[in-house]
């Protein structure tokens, strides 16, 4: 549990945004905003990730990809919806193929609205996600104790 809190790995997926939030996520992970000071490492492998950052809305074409990435992640895991499109569908809400926010496909733990979401807000959301991750890890540890 302590290792997860000190070095959470994130995987980022852009659902179908305008790429504004995408750029802000990358800015948050770069030295200018230095998310690495919290031990955050960006990975491309869902099996190594603790936190799933999703930008953009969920639509008919990407809902299976979002679900697949989520299912490949090991427990405990946290989902952060970055940007108003990921939270609710945003300006694309009424488009014919948009289903809605990320929570229409997978459970979301932290919502980080904005258009485009600021890197500071993303870092705050990741820090909140770390707290949720710690709670989930503790709950898993207690559940294992009760099984014995």
């Amino acid at each position: 549990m302590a290792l997860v809190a000190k070095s959470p790995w994130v995987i980022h997926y852009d659902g179908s945004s305008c790429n504004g939030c995408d750029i802000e996520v990358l800015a948050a992970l770069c030295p200018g905003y230095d998310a690495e000071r919290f031990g955050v490492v960006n990975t491309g492998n869902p099996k190594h990730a603790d936190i799933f950052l999703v930008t953009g809305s969920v639509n008919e074409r990407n809902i299976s990809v979002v679900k697949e990435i989520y299912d490949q992640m090991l427990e405990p895991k946290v989902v952060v919806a970055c940007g108003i499109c990921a939270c609710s569908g945003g300006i694309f809400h009424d488009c014919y193929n948009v289903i809605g926010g990320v929570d229409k496909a997978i459970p979301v733990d932290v919502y980080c609205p904005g258009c485009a979401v600021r890197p500071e807000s993303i870092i705050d959301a990741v820090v909140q996600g770390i707290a949720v991750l710690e709670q989930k890890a503790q709950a898993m540890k207690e559940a294992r104790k009760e099984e014995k």
Side-chain angles (χ1 to χ4, degrees):
M1 180 177 81
L3 290 176
V4 170
K6 294 189 188 262
S7 60
W9 286 30
V10 300
I11 187 165
H12 171 235
Y13 177 74
D14 175 30
S16 61
S17 70
C18 66
N19 294 331
C21 291
D22 240 7
I23 299 296
E24 300 299 330
V25 167
L26 296 175
L29 296 173
C30 288
Y33 290 94
D34 195 22
E36 284 187 6
R37 68 187 152 168
F38 301 108
V40 176
V41 176
N42 192 22
T43 182
N45 189 340
K47 293 182 174 138
H48 296 160
D50 303 303
I51 299 174
F52 187 14
L53 292 178
V54 185
T55 57
S57 57
V58 173
N59 60 44
E60 295 292 338
R61 307 257 346 229
N62 70 12
I63 191 167
S64 61
V65 175
V66 171
K67 287 179 180 178
E68 185 175 340
I69 292 171
Y70 179 80
D71 290 341
Q72 289 179 12
M73 293 175 68
L74 302 175
E75 294 289 345
K77 56 190 167 188
V78 169
V79 176
V80 178
C82 292
I84 196 66
C85 292
C87 292
S88 66
I91 62 169
F92 303 108
H93 186 267
D94 292 330
C95 291
Y96 71 95
N97 66 334
V98 172
I99 297 169
V102 178
D103 57 4
K104 299 294 184 187
I106 57 176
V108 174
D109 299 292
V110 180
Y111 291 90
C112 183
C115 186
V117 64
R118 299 288 305 143
E120 299 93 334
S121 299
I122 295 168
I123 292 172
D124 287 345
V126 169
V127 170
Q128 288 177 20
I130 292 169
V132 172
L133 201 57
E134 289 175 338
Q135 292 171 357
K136 288 184 175 186
Q138 185 64 35
M140 288 176 64
K141 187 176 180 181
E142 290 172 7
R144 278 183 287 214
K145 281 183 182 178
E146 290 176 6
E147 288 177 1
K148 291 180 181 180

